[in-house]
Amino acid sequence: MCHSYATESLRLGAALQDVQDALGHADPRTTRRYDRSRHNLDRSPNYLLATALTSENAR
C-alpha cells in the first residue's frame, strides 16, 4: 500500500519531500526509490493496458 501511495502521489506531481513526510521516511533516499520505480510503470504492459481501459471508460 505504501508503494502505491508513494508512486501515484509522485506521478501526480506531489513534491518528494511532501511524500517523504506523509510516509514518515527519515531518509529521502527511501522515498526516491519510489520515484525511480515509477518510471518503470511507463514501460509496463499492465500499466499501459490499465491506463487505456481507464481512459476508454471515462469517455
Side-chain angles (χ1 to χ4, degrees), residues 14 32 35 37:
R32 279 194 211 109
D35 194 34
S37 69

Side-chain angles (χ1 to χ4, degrees), residues 2 6 10 15-36:
C2 178
L10 292 167
L16 186 73
Q17 186 172 356
D18 292 339
V19 176
Q20 176 187 350
D21 290 342
L23 295 174
H25 292 163
D27 189 334
R29 289 178 293 185
T30 305
T31 313
R32 279 194 211 109
R33 178 180 61 208
Y34 297 113
D35 194 34
R36 284 190 300 270

Side-chain angles (χ1 to χ4, degrees), residues 34-49:
Y34 297 113
D35 194 34
R36 284 190 300 270
S37 69
R38 77 185 170 97
H39 299 292
N40 293 335
L41 292 176
D42 295 336
R43 296 189 311 263
S44 167
N46 295 332
Y47 189 75
L48 293 171
L49 181 58

